[in-house]
Amino acid sequence: MQKIRNIAIIAHVDHGKTTLVDKILHSCAIFREGQETGELILDNNDLERERGITIVSKNVSVMYKDVKINIIDTPGHADFGGEVERVLKMADGVLLLCDAFEGAMPQTRFVTQKALALGLKPIVVVNKVDKENCRPEEVYEQIFELFFNLEATEDQLDFPVIYGSSKQGWMSTDWKQPTEDIFPLMDAILENIPPAPIAEGTLQMQITSLDYSSFVGRIAIGRVARGTVKENMAVSLVKRDGTIQKSRIKELYTFEGLGKVKTTSVSSGDICAVVGIEGFDIGDTIADFENPEQLAVIKIDEPTMNMLFTINTSPFFGKEGKYVTSRHLRDRLYKEMEKNLALKVVETESPDSYLVYGRGILHLSVLIETMRREGYELQVGQPQVIIKEIDGVKCEPIETLIVDVPGEVAGKVIELVTQRKGDLLVMEPKGDLQHLEFDIPARGIIGLRNNVLTATGGEAIMAHRFKAYEPWKGTIPGRLNGVLVSMDTGKTTAFAIDKLQDRGRFHIDPGTDVYEGQVLGEHIRDNDLVINLTKGKQLTNMRASGSDTNVRIAPAIKFSLEESMEYIQADEYIEVTPQSIRMRKIFLNENERRVNAKKFVNQ
């Protein structure tokens, strides 16, 4: 009987996965006394810390009652579903976390479906029972119903449930009786999650994620499915397409605590990291040297959205970034494809542009944000959904959208969503909020979040996930207002902005460098207006007394990267550099825009 348990922690975004892992690490005493650890130990890159979400899955392991427990922390956002789908292959069971107030959310359904399909044994953790308005019993019923609807087996339906608060560091089998620690959960893991099975025979190990070290290069991480892997062993690498390369393992590591420990051999059931194999991709199998046998290739859901990535061609190119050429851009995108399975890059007719396919706006924006922090300059076009022809019918991706909103503004949300071809399916009270469920085309969600948050005073909670491809729903009205476009290149002046404030709302402050064709703000009408913000005050030695009034300017509206992606239209680009995010017209000159206006009408 092997003393190893492999579990993945799955949940909707923000239901407390990474916090729970923190508490498990602390309670199993993997840190020395007085060691500074901080919170959310596993969200270790800057983007994850800023956004408060997990983007890349991580492995850690703890020892509890002489049993090694390998824990895999997964992202909760459906846009990173590619991450979740492949790491679940390493687990024998899952901890499904659920917020005691919010209950089962769209992403909960999404990740649970993947786990149940792989036949993993679930333990349900109803988290945050210390919240006001929490309803643990209802949530338990809701999860049971969800499992039933997802066609769980009888064994999976007979799941143990643990209640607690990972933030306060306790878990219990009864939510009304708090305990002092999270050991009831650890005991439940040992009792219910099956030990990693030992499979005798020739070696089989699937690579499910990668790591990189500047000393040894790329490191393959995966679970040994059969046999034993040893240091300095000759192996075959079976690629996704079935081709075989001969290779040799130089070093082997297993996970211990937050780090890795060097070892000489790893037997089936454990998760390990392998150094020395060249040219591998995620999904490849490391197999026996003489008789290689391939494991089933990981299937990943198709992307639903694409964006044009191109080099920066604005007058300010190369001023802020380190990597500006199309070769830099191409190399970086292809490197991302190695580890980001749900991403696809396709070359276009132009040598400077690439179509990048992803799972959604967040998936693509995290890639763009990571690139700009690495010093890249690039431009991206409007996100487009991927349209397929199924049985001769034009089909588009449809998403399930869930909005929780105060009752008095529910009408505004329904109106906004139905304008974008959304169908209201469910409307029911949930605590003091209204719970709304819609089916809406994926392109209808682009730009919707801003409008909903504005209409509800920032009180709406939105979540969506991909449902299926369904017949095309017709045209959806785009942005209602036109934009204010710069006529000239130079520095903006407070005087010019003040005089043009009645024309619309600005996105830039006085004293900002702008160029011809840059989008400076939103027009009050539905057409674009070309304006000059670089004009200063005419200074003469003649002054009438009292003619100098103080300039009063409304604060500029600053857009984040995602908001800009949702805002732009087909004839616009976002210019992304390490220091700035600017919106611009594709054709900077006004005459060129008029000549080419027809190109964008049908898009």
Side-chain angles (χ1 to χ4, degrees), residues 179-192:
T179 56
E180 297 300 309
D181 48 45
I182 64 160
F183 293 134
L185 172 64
M186 306 302 285
D187 292 330
I189 291 173
L190 297 193
E191 283 165 35
N192 296 286

mmCIF file with all atom_site columns, all heavy atoms in Angstrom, residues 179-192:
data_model
loop_
_atom_site.group_PDB
_atom_site.id
_atom_site.type_symbol
_atom_site.label_atom_id
_atom_site.label_alt_id
_atom_site.label_comp_id
_atom_site.label_asym_id
_atom_site.label_entity_id
_atom_site.label_seq_id
_atom_site.pdbx_PDB_ins_code
_atom_site.Cartn_x
_atom_site.Cartn_y
_atom_site.Cartn_z
_atom_site.occupancy
_atom_site.B_iso_or_equiv
_atom_site.pdbx_formal_charge
_atom_site.auth_seq_id
_atom_site.auth_comp_id
_atom_site.auth_asym_id
_atom_site.auth_atom_id
_atom_site.pdbx_PDB_model_num
ATOM 1   N N   . THR A 1 179 ? -13.829 23.999 14.985 1.00 0.00 ? 179 THR A N   1
ATOM 2   C CA  . THR A 1 179 ? -12.723 23.326 15.674 1.00 0.00 ? 179 THR A CA  1
ATOM 3   C C   . THR A 1 179 ? -11.558 24.311 15.749 1.00 0.00 ? 179 THR A C   1
ATOM 4   O O   . THR A 1 179 ? -11.703 25.482 15.375 1.00 0.00 ? 179 THR A O   1
ATOM 5   C CB  . THR A 1 179 ? -12.294 22.079 14.891 1.00 0.00 ? 179 THR A CB  1
ATOM 6   O OG1 . THR A 1 179 ? -11.974 22.504 13.550 1.00 0.00 ? 179 THR A OG1 1
ATOM 7   C CG2 . THR A 1 179 ? -13.385 21.042 14.822 1.00 0.00 ? 179 THR A CG2 1
ATOM 8   N N   . GLU A 1 180 ? -10.418 23.832 16.174 1.00 0.00 ? 180 GLU A N   1
ATOM 9   C CA  . GLU A 1 180 ? -9.248  24.715 16.335 1.00 0.00 ? 180 GLU A CA  1
ATOM 10  C C   . GLU A 1 180 ? -8.316  24.663 15.124 1.00 0.00 ? 180 GLU A C   1
ATOM 11  O O   . GLU A 1 180 ? -7.452  25.492 14.978 1.00 0.00 ? 180 GLU A O   1
ATOM 12  C CB  . GLU A 1 180 ? -8.443  24.284 17.581 1.00 0.00 ? 180 GLU A CB  1
ATOM 13  C CG  . GLU A 1 180 ? -9.200  24.423 18.891 1.00 0.00 ? 180 GLU A CG  1
ATOM 14  C CD  . GLU A 1 180 ? -9.613  25.865 19.149 1.00 0.00 ? 180 GLU A CD  1
ATOM 15  O OE1 . GLU A 1 180 ? -8.732  26.739 19.067 1.00 0.00 ? 180 GLU A OE1 1
ATOM 16  O OE2 . GLU A 1 180 ? -10.810 26.123 19.391 1.00 0.00 ? 180 GLU A OE2 1
ATOM 17  N N   . ASP A 1 181 ? -8.455  23.613 14.283 1.00 0.00 ? 181 ASP A N   1
ATOM 18  C CA  . ASP A 1 181 ? -7.467  23.438 13.218 1.00 0.00 ? 181 ASP A CA  1
ATOM 19  C C   . ASP A 1 181 ? -8.136  22.833 11.987 1.00 0.00 ? 181 ASP A C   1
ATOM 20  O O   . ASP A 1 181 ? -9.336  22.629 11.962 1.00 0.00 ? 181 ASP A O   1
ATOM 21  C CB  . ASP A 1 181 ? -6.331  22.516 13.695 1.00 0.00 ? 181 ASP A CB  1
ATOM 22  C CG  . ASP A 1 181 ? -6.900  21.262 14.352 1.00 0.00 ? 181 ASP A CG  1
ATOM 23  O OD1 . ASP A 1 181 ? -7.837  20.691 13.781 1.00 0.00 ? 181 ASP A OD1 1
ATOM 24  O OD2 . ASP A 1 181 ? -6.404  20.861 15.433 1.00 0.00 ? 181 ASP A OD2 1
ATOM 25  N N   . ILE A 1 182 ? -7.326  22.552 10.957 1.00 0.00 ? 182 ILE A N   1
ATOM 26  C CA  . ILE A 1 182 ? -7.921  22.001 9.724  1.00 0.00 ? 182 ILE A CA  1
ATOM 27  C C   . ILE A 1 182 ? -7.680  20.496 9.609  1.00 0.00 ? 182 ILE A C   1
ATOM 28  O O   . ILE A 1 182 ? -7.874  19.916 8.546  1.00 0.00 ? 182 ILE A O   1
ATOM 29  C CB  . ILE A 1 182 ? -7.384  22.720 8.454  1.00 0.00 ? 182 ILE A CB  1
ATOM 30  C CG1 . ILE A 1 182 ? -5.885  22.474 8.286  1.00 0.00 ? 182 ILE A CG1 1
ATOM 31  C CG2 . ILE A 1 182 ? -7.668  24.187 8.465  1.00 0.00 ? 182 ILE A CG2 1
ATOM 32  C CD1 . ILE A 1 182 ? -5.437  22.725 6.882  1.00 0.00 ? 182 ILE A CD1 1
ATOM 33  N N   . PHE A 1 183 ? -7.286  19.840 10.723 1.00 0.00 ? 183 PHE A N   1
ATOM 34  C CA  . PHE A 1 183 ? -6.991  18.413 10.638 1.00 0.00 ? 183 PHE A CA  1
ATOM 35  C C   . PHE A 1 183 ? -8.197  17.535 10.275 1.00 0.00 ? 183 PHE A C   1
ATOM 36  O O   . PHE A 1 183 ? -8.011  16.493 9.650  1.00 0.00 ? 183 PHE A O   1
ATOM 37  C CB  . PHE A 1 183 ? -6.296  17.921 11.913 1.00 0.00 ? 183 PHE A CB  1
ATOM 38  C CG  . PHE A 1 183 ? -4.924  18.530 12.057 1.00 0.00 ? 183 PHE A CG  1
ATOM 39  C CD1 . PHE A 1 183 ? -4.490  19.052 13.264 1.00 0.00 ? 183 PHE A CD1 1
ATOM 40  C CD2 . PHE A 1 183 ? -4.073  18.613 10.966 1.00 0.00 ? 183 PHE A CD2 1
ATOM 41  C CE1 . PHE A 1 183 ? -3.234  19.626 13.374 1.00 0.00 ? 183 PHE A CE1 1
ATOM 42  C CE2 . PHE A 1 183 ? -2.815  19.187 11.070 1.00 0.00 ? 183 PHE A CE2 1
ATOM 43  C CZ  . PHE A 1 183 ? -2.390  19.699 12.277 1.00 0.00 ? 183 PHE A CZ  1
ATOM 44  N N   . PRO A 1 184 ? -9.461  17.919 10.630 1.00 0.00 ? 184 PRO A N   1
ATOM 45  C CA  . PRO A 1 184 ? -10.582 17.102 10.148 1.00 0.00 ? 184 PRO A CA  1
ATOM 46  C C   . PRO A 1 184 ? -10.584 16.948 8.622  1.00 0.00 ? 184 PRO A C   1
ATOM 47  O O   . PRO A 1 184 ? -10.928 15.896 8.092  1.00 0.00 ? 184 PRO A O   1
ATOM 48  C CB  . PRO A 1 184 ? -11.810 17.869 10.623 1.00 0.00 ? 184 PRO A CB  1
ATOM 49  C CG  . PRO A 1 184 ? -11.359 18.600 11.841 1.00 0.00 ? 184 PRO A CG  1
ATOM 50  C CD  . PRO A 1 184 ? -9.923  18.957 11.591 1.00 0.00 ? 184 PRO A CD  1
ATOM 51  N N   . LEU A 1 185 ? -10.165 18.005 7.921  1.00 0.00 ? 185 LEU A N   1
ATOM 52  C CA  . LEU A 1 185 ? -10.084 17.932 6.451  1.00 0.00 ? 185 LEU A CA  1
ATOM 53  C C   . LEU A 1 185 ? -8.960  16.979 6.032  1.00 0.00 ? 185 LEU A C   1
ATOM 54  O O   . LEU A 1 185 ? -9.138  16.152 5.134  1.00 0.00 ? 185 LEU A O   1
ATOM 55  C CB  . LEU A 1 185 ? -9.838  19.326 5.867  1.00 0.00 ? 185 LEU A CB  1
ATOM 56  C CG  . LEU A 1 185 ? -9.553  19.377 4.363  1.00 0.00 ? 185 LEU A CG  1
ATOM 57  C CD1 . LEU A 1 185 ? -10.746 18.896 3.560  1.00 0.00 ? 185 LEU A CD1 1
ATOM 58  C CD2 . LEU A 1 185 ? -9.176  20.767 3.904  1.00 0.00 ? 185 LEU A CD2 1
ATOM 59  N N   . MET A 1 186 ? -7.808  17.073 6.699  1.00 0.00 ? 186 MET A N   1
ATOM 60  C CA  . MET A 1 186 ? -6.678  16.200 6.352  1.00 0.00 ? 186 MET A CA  1
ATOM 61  C C   . MET A 1 186 ? -7.051  14.731 6.596  1.00 0.00 ? 186 MET A C   1
ATOM 62  O O   . MET A 1 186 ? -6.708  13.848 5.798  1.00 0.00 ? 186 MET A O   1
ATOM 63  C CB  . MET A 1 186 ? -5.436  16.555 7.187  1.00 0.00 ? 186 MET A CB  1
ATOM 64  C CG  . MET A 1 186 ? -5.025  18.016 7.111  1.00 0.00 ? 186 MET A CG  1
ATOM 65  S SD  . MET A 1 186 ? -4.682  18.545 5.432  1.00 0.00 ? 186 MET A SD  1
ATOM 66  C CE  . MET A 1 186 ? -3.113  17.782 5.144  1.00 0.00 ? 186 MET A CE  1
ATOM 67  N N   . ASP A 1 187 ? -7.780  14.464 7.705  1.00 0.00 ? 187 ASP A N   1
ATOM 68  C CA  . ASP A 1 187 ? -8.218  13.088 7.978  1.00 0.00 ? 187 ASP A CA  1
ATOM 69  C C   . ASP A 1 187 ? -9.164  12.600 6.896  1.00 0.00 ? 187 ASP A C   1
ATOM 70  O O   . ASP A 1 187 ? -9.103  11.444 6.451  1.00 0.00 ? 187 ASP A O   1
ATOM 71  C CB  . ASP A 1 187 ? -8.895  13.011 9.352  1.00 0.00 ? 187 ASP A CB  1
ATOM 72  C CG  . ASP A 1 187 ? -7.883  13.254 10.476 1.00 0.00 ? 187 ASP A CG  1
ATOM 73  O OD1 . ASP A 1 187 ? -6.701  12.909 10.271 1.00 0.00 ? 187 ASP A OD1 1
ATOM 74  O OD2 . ASP A 1 187 ? -8.270  13.797 11.519 1.00 0.00 ? 187 ASP A OD2 1
ATOM 75  N N   . ALA A 1 188 ? -10.071 13.505 6.458  1.00 0.00 ? 188 ALA A N   1
ATOM 76  C CA  . ALA A 1 188 ? -11.032 13.136 5.398  1.00 0.00 ? 188 ALA A CA  1
ATOM 77  C C   . ALA A 1 188 ? -10.291 12.786 4.112  1.00 0.00 ? 188 ALA A C   1
ATOM 78  O O   . ALA A 1 188 ? -10.687 11.870 3.377  1.00 0.00 ? 188 ALA A O   1
ATOM 79  C CB  . ALA A 1 188 ? -12.012 14.274 5.154  1.00 0.00 ? 188 ALA A CB  1
ATOM 80  N N   . ILE A 1 189 ? -9.186  13.506 3.845  1.00 0.00 ? 189 ILE A N   1
ATOM 81  C CA  . ILE A 1 189 ? -8.401  13.211 2.629  1.00 0.00 ? 189 ILE A CA  1
ATOM 82  C C   . ILE A 1 189 ? -7.825  11.795 2.729  1.00 0.00 ? 189 ILE A C   1
ATOM 83  O O   . ILE A 1 189 ? -7.918  10.999 1.791  1.00 0.00 ? 189 ILE A O   1
ATOM 84  C CB  . ILE A 1 189 ? -7.260  14.249 2.444  1.00 0.00 ? 189 ILE A CB  1
ATOM 85  C CG1 . ILE A 1 189 ? -7.858  15.618 2.090  1.00 0.00 ? 189 ILE A CG1 1
ATOM 86  C CG2 . ILE A 1 189 ? -6.276  13.802 1.357  1.00 0.00 ? 189 ILE A CG2 1
ATOM 87  C CD1 . ILE A 1 189 ? -6.847  16.753 2.048  1.00 0.00 ? 189 ILE A CD1 1
ATOM 88  N N   . LEU A 1 190 ? -7.249  11.461 3.888  1.00 0.00 ? 190 LEU A N   1
ATOM 89  C CA  . LEU A 1 190 ? -6.642  10.131 4.046  1.00 0.00 ? 190 LEU A CA  1
ATOM 90  C C   . LEU A 1 190 ? -7.690  9.026  3.956  1.00 0.00 ? 190 LEU A C   1
ATOM 91  O O   . LEU A 1 190 ? -7.445  7.962  3.399  1.00 0.00 ? 190 LEU A O   1
ATOM 92  C CB  . LEU A 1 190 ? -5.903  10.033 5.387  1.00 0.00 ? 190 LEU A CB  1
ATOM 93  C CG  . LEU A 1 190 ? -4.717  10.979 5.600  1.00 0.00 ? 190 LEU A CG  1
ATOM 94  C CD1 . LEU A 1 190 ? -3.914  10.552 6.813  1.00 0.00 ? 190 LEU A CD1 1
ATOM 95  C CD2 . LEU A 1 190 ? -3.798  11.026 4.389  1.00 0.00 ? 190 LEU A CD2 1
ATOM 96  N N   . GLU A 1 191 ? -8.886  9.283  4.507  1.00 0.00 ? 191 GLU A N   1
ATOM 97  C CA  . GLU A 1 191 ? -9.931  8.248  4.507  1.00 0.00 ? 191 GLU A CA  1
ATOM 98  C C   . GLU A 1 191 ? -10.562 8.049  3.137  1.00 0.00 ? 191 GLU A C   1
ATOM 99  O O   . GLU A 1 191 ? -10.868 6.933  2.735  1.00 0.00 ? 191 GLU A O   1
ATOM 100 C CB  . GLU A 1 191 ? -11.061 8.634  5.482  1.00 0.00 ? 191 GLU A CB  1
ATOM 101 C CG  . GLU A 1 191 ? -10.714 8.393  6.943  1.00 0.00 ? 191 GLU A CG  1
ATOM 102 C CD  . GLU A 1 191 ? -11.710 9.126  7.833  1.00 0.00 ? 191 GLU A CD  1
ATOM 103 O OE1 . GLU A 1 191 ? -12.900 9.210  7.451  1.00 0.00 ? 191 GLU A OE1 1
ATOM 104 O OE2 . GLU A 1 191 ? -11.303 9.634  8.895  1.00 0.00 ? 191 GLU A OE2 1
ATOM 105 N N   . ASN A 1 192 ? -10.801 9.163  2.418  1.00 0.00 ? 192 ASN A N   1
ATOM 106 C CA  . ASN A 1 192 ? -11.644 9.079  1.220  1.00 0.00 ? 192 ASN A CA  1
ATOM 107 C C   . ASN A 1 192 ? -10.900 9.077  -0.113 1.00 0.00 ? 192 ASN A C   1
ATOM 108 O O   . ASN A 1 192 ? -11.406 8.545  -1.086 1.00 0.00 ? 192 ASN A O   1
ATOM 109 C CB  . ASN A 1 192 ? -12.645 10.239 1.210  1.00 0.00 ? 192 ASN A CB  1
ATOM 110 C CG  . ASN A 1 192 ? -13.615 10.149 2.370  1.00 0.00 ? 192 ASN A CG  1
ATOM 111 O OD1 . ASN A 1 192 ? -14.503 9.321  2.374  1.00 0.00 ? 192 ASN A OD1 1
ATOM 112 N ND2 . ASN A 1 192 ? -13.419 10.993 3.379  1.00 0.00 ? 192 ASN A ND2 1
#
